[in-house]
Amino acid sequence: MATPTPPQPALLPPLLLLLSFTTGLVDATSVLGLGKVFTANMTGNIVFLGFAAAGTPGFTVAPYLIAIATFMLGAFLAGRTGRFHANRPLRHWLLWSALIEAVLLVVAAVIAIGFDPASLTPEASLFAIIALTAVAMGYRNATIRQLKVPDLTTTVLTLTITGLAADSTLAGGSNPNWARRIAAVVAIFLGAALGAVLVRFGLAVPLAVAGALILGGTIACTLHDDADKPLGA
C-alpha cells in the first residue's frame, strides 16, 4: 500500500511562483548582460560549454565552468542547510534560505555597478557576478528540491510544459495541477520580460530587485500559520 503524500503547506505555492518570477530576472541578467551564460539553468550551460569546446566563435569555456561549479557549491550548501532544518519550523528554513539568496544577489548587484556588459569588463567582475548568482540559484534549486512541491521547480520549465501536454485531456489525462503549471510558465516569462527591460538600466537593477522580492516575499509568506510546523508535519 502506497504511503500517502503529506499535505503541502499552503504558503509554498504562492512563494514558489514569486521565486519563479525572480528566476526570470536573474536569467535575463545573466544571458543578456554576462555574455550568454545561464546562472539558473545548467542545461543551457552544458550545451554552451559544448559549443565552446568545439571552438564556436562567441563562446568561451571559463564562464560556463564557473557557473556550473558555483551552482553545485550552492546546491551543496542548501543540502546541508535543509538537513539541519529538517525537524525545525519551516519558517526558519525558508527565511534562512531567502536571506542567503538575497545577500548573494545584492552583493552581485553592487559589483555590477562598475561592470560594462558591452565589453564584459572588468573580467574579474564578470566572473564574480556569475559565481554569486550561480551559488544563489544552486542554493535555490536544492532547497526547492527538498520542499517537493509538484510542478513548481522555480527555475526550469521543461517537465512542466511536458506535463501540460502529456497529462492533458486530449492525451487522455486528467490535467493535474494545470493552473499551477501555467502559472509557473507565466511567472518566469513575466520575470524574464521585466528583467530584459531593467537590464537596460544596468545589471545592478534586476539583481537588486530580485534580491528584494525574494526576501520580502518570503517574509510575507512565512506569516502563514503553516510556517510554524516542520515540512510534512
Side-chain angles (χ1 to χ4, degrees):
M1 182 176 178
T3 303
T5 302
Q8 294 291 336
L11 66 94
L12 288 180
L15 174 58
L16 299 192
L17 286 173
L18 174 65
L19 295 181
S20 298
F21 179 83
T22 64
T23 292
L25 292 171
V26 174
D27 270 344
T29 303
S30 63
V31 174
L32 300 178
L34 299 176
K36 297 192 292 287
V37 59
F38 287 98
T39 55
N41 180 359
M42 292 301 107
T43 303
N45 285 334
I46 297 297
V47 173
F48 288 163
L49 184 60
F51 295 164
T56 306
F59 296 88
T60 55
V61 169
Y64 308 119
L65 289 181
I66 290 171
I68 293 167
T70 51
F71 183 93
M72 291 179 68
L73 172 62
F76 167 80
L77 295 173
R80 299 288 295 182
T81 303
R83 290 176 180 88
F84 177 77
H85 286 89
N87 298 311
R88 297 167 182 259
L90 183 59
R91 175 181 290 109
H92 296 174
W93 184 12
L94 293 178
L95 289 175
W96 180 251
S97 298
L99 180 61
I100 289 174
E101 276 194 51
V103 168
L104 288 167
L105 292 177
V106 169
V107 172
V110 172
I111 294 173
I113 292 173
F115 178 72
D116 178 21
S119 62
L120 299 179
T121 57
E123 189 174 65
S125 296
L126 169 66
F127 293 151
I129 298 168
I130 290 173
L132 288 165
T133 55
V135 170
M137 293 297 100
Y139 195 99
R140 155 90 61 83
N141 268 266
T143 300
I144 301 307
R145 182 171 179 267
Q146 293 170 90
L147 293 176
K148 299 178 181 178
V149 179
D151 299 305
L152 286 176
T153 65
T154 79
T155 55
V156 292
L157 293 172
T158 302
L159 290 178
T160 303
I161 293 173
T162 299
L164 277 170
D167 298 335
S168 66
T169 52
L170 289 176
S174 58
N175 273 328
N177 295 330
W178 67 269
R180 178 184 294 183
R181 289 170 172 175
I182 292 174
V185 173
V186 171
I188 291 184
F189 169 81
L190 292 176
L194 177 61
V197 173
L198 295 181
V199 162
R200 300 171 190 171
F201 302 97
L203 301 190
V205 179
L207 291 174
V209 170
L213 286 174
I214 290 165
L215 187 57
T218 302
I219 291 172
C221 286
T222 52
L223 296 177
H224 195 284
D225 289 343
D226 282 354
D228 291 329
K229 309 170 187 176
L231 184 66

